[in-house]
Amino acid sequence: MSDEILRQLADILEKRKQAAPDSSYVASLYSKGLDSILKKIGEEATETVIAAKDGNADQLVYEMADLWFHSLVLLAHQGLGPDQVLKELERRFGLSGLDEKAARKQK
């Protein structure tokens, strides 16, 4: 199990765009629009932070999975997928975080 699960999930999320809002949770999120998806990501990010502060590893993994899932929903809503994010991470791999941040300021 590697990045393939992200691609499989992205495929399913893409298919949910065509589904009726009452047929799936993801389809209902899409029908509610960007603001609802962003709100859900904010909620999941907050729950992830709380789990980390509580020091509960199992809960942190659970909440992080929710955050990643909803982030994938956002990407799909915007016509993107995990491959673009993975390519960006690959581009950054081996770069100093300080150098990468400095390069962003130059743009």
Side-chain angles (χ1 to χ4, degrees):
M1 185 170 9
S2 61
D3 56 355
E4 185 58 31
I5 191 68
L6 293 176
R7 289 185 183 96
Q8 290 173 2
L9 185 53
D11 288 342
I12 291 169
L13 294 176
E14 194 62 34
K15 290 174 185 169
R16 293 291 193 267
K17 286 182 178 181
Q18 310 308 317
D22 61 351
S23 69
S24 83
Y25 169 71
V26 172
S28 72
L29 273 179
Y30 288 143
S31 74
K32 293 175 188 172
L34 181 61
D35 286 348
S36 289
I37 295 168
L38 295 174
K39 181 180 176 187
K40 192 62 184 169
I41 288 175
E43 291 171 7
E44 298 303 342
T46 300
E47 291 170 1
T48 300
V49 169
I50 292 168
K53 291 287 283 179
D54 288 347
N56 183 330
D58 290 338
Q59 191 65 29
L60 176 57
V61 169
Y62 181 87
E63 296 300 345
M64 188 64 72
D66 280 350
L67 180 57
W68 284 16
F69 176 83
H70 288 90
S71 296
L72 288 169
V73 170
L74 172 62
L75 286 171
H77 187 266
Q78 299 287 4
L80 301 167
D83 285 339
Q84 287 93 338
V85 177
L86 292 171
K87 285 178 187 172
E88 177 60 17
L89 289 172
E90 183 178 8
R91 183 191 70 77
R92 293 181 189 185
F93 191 78
L95 289 178
S96 158
L98 296 174
D99 291 342
E100 195 277 331
K101 190 171 184 176
R104 278 190 267 157
K105 288 181 182 177
Q106 293 175 359
K107 290 183 180 181

